[in-house]
């Protein structure tokens, strides 16, 4: 896909975007849909699954968020945001019609071209589903380009499951194999119980043509990677989307440096092979 | 290359006076027992012959605090400060040592590239730099080890002290030539004898600057030593004050904060110097800290300079200016760190034992 970068005079100045929809997903996470105020931005702003934007709450600050919508859906951006600090709390107070600043897209994104023709296993822990959802929907919208698709998704409890409607929709597709689990169920929960790695017992994979795409909190990587290596997925076919503190998003502030790489420019998506070359990465 | 000139050292005052009509002039001035880069309102205060300065000239290109933009919260308007910056009065920066000229070239690489930092380059373009050759070593520096005692670019004029109390003046850019023309009568075109005097000065420099630290292989040694106990030992005394990063000409990391004004109708977005030594540097929301221990942060500073920077930019991210050593309250010397690190790998394994 061709990357149309917006040539701007000053990379740090955000474009204005309006909140057009707000959908509460859990007590902590809400899905926000934004539309650029300037009409031409709808065509200029193109992105890849796995890229992120810097969102400005004017007067509070700026923070990076993965784009959760798929580029196959044009004209708007969806961000799934967890309430956790100054900027994110303020975002949750936004009302439809309010204006924020957005700049980007930044980061390398998932290698959609080289994933073509491959079987894909998505493994998401908690909020890790937010960035993966962009690629999942991209794959669904270009279904013929990809092989078998499996999704493993785990959260701590049923009330923390994100995108419940969409999970149901994915479940209904016969060319997507979705497995959801929770660390601890409640009275109504009929599904799997156990951490996300327990899902590996549910399915036998042929790994010659398998790529795995993983996103979750730091703890998830260690355990999921071990499972993936155990079933024989190649280190260059395990893709991890990493999180680091970010200020600039464009390789200047050095906050996101891991080993000799910058998460905002070289990442946030790295292969396990790369990650092993980078000190303190996972 | 433009033809070089010679000038009398005492004529520097005349140059500064002439330049003051067009530029704000900055350069080394005395501050208590040390020197700092400061504004030169009186040419008598300019010190051309100084050991080092507390802060590097980085502050003129990346100020400690810099307002990037303002927000009008009622109108949802973003006011960029770039135009203001581009309208600022040109500046003349005097007597910048070779190591610091190289430091500025480092910053050019960081702030340039695909996502060019326009604030940095607005300041850079507004500044004319007069460099000066150090013919003798300074107290803490080790420029020769880092190969920063030479410069081929980064200056507009470059002065080398030569015999007869004169400077040999090399012109690096049209901006430099412009400066010459502001006080044309103090400059004479250099002749063959002046070139001889210049060569003699370089010879003196070559004999006098020590080669103290061997950084060959440092990239590889860093990779090999990541889990070595050496770092814990080295970091024991570091109090994570960040002074080393503040004084460094090639440390550039910054934090960004929004400040609401009292009426809550407008806000400024400001970036401020930060340091990877600080505890919150890699701390993310939710409480996870990617470099929790002080030793991890101490180690990281060296990895970023000598490994990460080398990877990104193809050169080591240290100019050997020695300021971090001069500033450290715990007397940690970067030369010692580098020497001991190389020592781990360059001493025969039997003699060294350990990992
Ligand atoms: C590439 C990337 C993608 C992300 N995608 C999402 C997402 O889709 N949904 C979501 O809810 N969160 C996401 N995050 C995390 C999100 O950026 C942080 O939760 C957010 O920065 C917290 O800001 P705050 O002001 O509310 O918290 P505070 O603790 O008040 O943080 C202050 C500032 O520190 C920085 N900071 C703190 N934590 C982080 C962090 N984890 N990552 C980067 N910068 C941080 C930010 O500049 C932030 O404004 C992502 C982070 C990265 C790096
Ligand atoms: S690390 Fe120390 S010696 Fe090297 S450039 Fe920075 S302050 Fe100077
Ligand atoms: S100046 Fe010295 S004590 Fe302070 S952070 Fe740097 S190395 Fe540590
Ligand atoms: S976020 Fe600033 S360098 Fe990556």
């Amino acid at each position: 896909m061709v990357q149309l970068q917006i040539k701007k005079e000053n990379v740090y100045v955000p474009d204005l975007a309006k909140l057009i929809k707000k959908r509460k997903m859990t007590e902590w996470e809400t899905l926000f849909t934004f539309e650029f105020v300037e009409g031409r931005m709808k065509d200029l702003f193109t992105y890849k699954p796995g890229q992120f934007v810097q969102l400005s709450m004017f007067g509070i600050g700026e923070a990076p968020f993965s784009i959760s919508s798929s580029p196959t859906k044009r004209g708007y951006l969806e961000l799934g945001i967890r309430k956790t600090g100054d900027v994110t709390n303020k975002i949750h107070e936004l009302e439809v019609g309010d204006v924020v600043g957005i700049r980007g897209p930044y980061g390398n994104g998932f290698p959609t071209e080289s994933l073509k023709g491959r079987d894909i296993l998505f493994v998401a822990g908690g909020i890790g589903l937010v960035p993966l959802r962009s690629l999942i929907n991209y794959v669904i919208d270009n279904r013929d380009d990809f092989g078998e698709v499996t999704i493993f998704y785990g959260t701590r409890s049923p009330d923390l499951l994100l995108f419940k409607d969409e999970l149901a929709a994915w479940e209904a597709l016969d060319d997507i194999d979705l497995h959801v689990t929770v660390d601890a169920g409640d009275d109504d929960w009929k599904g799997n119980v156990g951490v996300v790695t327990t899902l590996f017992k549910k399915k036998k994979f042929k790994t010659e043509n398998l790529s795995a795409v993983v996103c979750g909190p730091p703890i998830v990587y260690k355990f999921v990677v071990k499972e993936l290596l155990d079933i024989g997925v190649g280190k260059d076919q395990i893709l991890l989307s990493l999180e680091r503190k970010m200020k600039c998003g464009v390789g200047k502030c050095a906050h996101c440096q891991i080993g000799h790489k910058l998460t905002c420019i070289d990442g946030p998506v790295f292969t396990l092979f790369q990650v092993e070359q980078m000190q303190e990465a996972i | 290359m433009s033809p070089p000139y010679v000038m009398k050292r005492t004529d520097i005052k005349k140059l500064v006076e002439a330049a003051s009509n067009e530029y704000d002039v900055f350069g080394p001035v005395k501050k208590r027992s040390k020197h700092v880069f400061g504004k030169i309102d009186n040419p008598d205060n300019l010190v051309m012959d100084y050991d080092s300065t507390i802060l590097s000239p980085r502050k003129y290109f990346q100020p400690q605090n810099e307002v990037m933009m303002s927000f009008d919260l009622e109108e949802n308007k973003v006011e960029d400060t770039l135009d203001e910056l581009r309208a600022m009065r040109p500046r003349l920066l005097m007597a910048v040592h070779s190591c610091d000229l190289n430091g500025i070239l480092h910053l050019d690489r960081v702030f340039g590239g695909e996502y060019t930092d326009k604030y940095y380059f607005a300041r850079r373009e507004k500044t004319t730099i007069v460099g000066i050759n150090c013919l003798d070593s300074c107290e803490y520096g080790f420029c020769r080890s880092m190969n920063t005692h030479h410069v081929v670019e980064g200056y507009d004029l470059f002065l080398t002290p030569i015999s007869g109390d004169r400077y040999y003046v090399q012109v690096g850019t049209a901006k430099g030539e412009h400066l010459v023309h502001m006080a044309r009568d103090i400059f004479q075109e250099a002749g063959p004898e002046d070139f001889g005097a210049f060569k003699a000065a370089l010879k003196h420099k070559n004999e006098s600057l020590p080669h103290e630290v061997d950084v060959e292989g440092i990239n590889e040694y860093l990779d090999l030593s990541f889990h070595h106990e050496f770092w814990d030992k080295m970091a024991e005394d570091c109090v994570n004050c960040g002074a080393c990063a503040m004084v460094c000409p090639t440390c550039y990391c910054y934090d960004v904060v929004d400040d609401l004004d009292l009426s809550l109708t407008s806000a400024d977005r400001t970036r401020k110097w930060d340091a990877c030594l600080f505890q919150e540097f890699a701390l993310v929301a939710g409480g996870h800290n990617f470099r929790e221990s002080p030793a991890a942060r101490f180690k990281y500073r060296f990895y970023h300079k000598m490994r990460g920077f080398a990877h990104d930019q193809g050169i080591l991210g240290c100019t050997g200016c020695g300021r971090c050593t001069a500033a450290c309250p715990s007397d940690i010397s970067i030369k010692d760190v580098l020497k001991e690190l190389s020592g781990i790998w360059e001493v025969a394994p039997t003699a060294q034992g350990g990992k």
Side-chain angles (χ1 to χ4, degrees), chain A residues 152-191:
Chain A
F152 286 176
Y153 172 42
T155 61
R156 268 178 291 146
S157 54
D159 56 315
L160 293 179
L161 287 172
L162 301 173
F163 306 105
K164 287 198 187 77
D165 308 349
E166 231 157 314
L167 290 175
W170 295 344
E171 179 72 67
L173 295 172
D174 28 318
D175 53 4
I176 301 280
D177 185 18
L178 173 72
H179 297 264
V180 179
T181 182
V182 296
D183 295 359
D186 55 19
D187 294 344
D188 299 331
W189 181 251
K190 307 248 170 2

Side-chain angles (χ1 to χ4, degrees), chain B residues 78-341:
Chain B
V78 183
E79 227 37 272
D80 191 357
T81 54
L82 203 52
D83 287 338
E84 224 173 286
L85 202 55
R86 286 176 174 158
M88 83 180 189
R89 196 156 190 257
R91 300 180 306 187
L92 174 63
L93 187 54
M94 294 293 297
V96 180
H97 286 162
S98 314
C99 59
D100 285 340
L101 291 171
N102 277 293
I104 294 167
L105 293 176
H106 278 62
L107 296 179
D108 286 354
R109 291 173 186 245
V110 172
F111 289 111
E114 188 190 348
Y115 297 104
T116 299
D117 190 296
K118 296 279 168 72
Y119 303 103
Y120 174 85
F121 285 101
R123 290 197 156 79
R124 198 68 173 83
E125 277 150 30
K126 280 289 177 177
T127 312
T128 297
I129 301 176
V130 176
I132 188 158
N133 216 336
C134 298
L135 303 184
D136 293 290
S137 62
C138 61
E139 189 175 356
Y140 295 105
F142 52 105
C143 55
R144 185 173 210 152
S145 312
M146 306 309 294
N147 197 28
T148 58
H149 56 318
H150 290 291
V151 276
V152 286
E153 53 183 323
Y155 60 80
D156 298 294
L157 291 184
F158 191 62
L159 313 178
T160 302
I162 56 169
S163 58
D165 277 330
R166 294 172 309 153
Y167 289 122
Y168 188 81
V169 184
Q170 288 165 286
V171 183
T173 65
K175 267 157 118 185
E177 196 66 50
H178 176 71
L179 186 60
V180 167
H181 283 273
M182 296 184 77
R184 184 64 187 83
D185 49 344
I186 65 170
F187 294 92
Q188 286 87 51
E189 267 157 41
E193 273 167 40
D194 303 320
F195 187 65
F198 174 60
K199 264 173 61 184
L202 294 188
K203 182 157 182 284
H204 172 89
K205 170 176 165 177
N206 192 38
E207 281 158 5
S208 98
L209 292 184
H211 189 92
E212 294 173 273
V213 197
D214 190 355
V215 291
E216 262 179 76
I218 197 78
N219 283 238
E220 187 185 355
Y221 297 158
L222 280 165
D223 270 1
L224 293 170
S225 313
F226 196 78
H227 297 292
H228 200 282
E229 70 249 3
F230 159 81
W231 290 109
D232 296 318
K233 183 171 80 64
M234 272 293 167
E236 252 167 35
D237 298 323
C238 172
V239 295
N240 279 233
C241 64
C244 49
M246 298 297 141
V247 299
C248 178
T250 64
C251 275
Y252 54 84
C253 52
Y254 63 80
D255 193 13
V256 183
V257 289
D258 279 14
D259 296 305
L260 267 174
D261 102 320
L262 284 178
S263 66
L264 307 182
T265 54
S266 68
D268 283 344
R269 177 164 293 169
T270 308
R271 59 177 172 186
K272 311 182 175 210
W273 288 2
D274 203 348
C276 58
L277 283 304
F278 296 154
Q279 210 208 327
E280 314 80 54
F281 191 81
L283 176 72
V284 296
H288 190 83
N289 194 337
F290 289 97
R291 278 186 292 276
E292 181 78 56
S293 78
R297 298 195 290 276
F298 176 84
K299 173 165 76 174
Y300 169 77
R301 183 163 184 272
F302 288 92
Y303 272 81
H304 188 205
K305 291 229 166 300
M306 306 288 177
R307 181 70 178 89
F309 200 90
H311 172 85
D312 295 341
Q313 312 291 350
I315 49 172
L316 295 177
C318 167
T319 68
C321 73
R323 286 188 179 89
C324 52
T325 309
C328 180
S330 301
D331 219 12
I332 297 170
S333 152
I334 184 170
K335 282 192 266 191
D336 292 346
V337 174
L338 295 174
K339 278 185 210 164
E340 289 198 31
L341 184 69

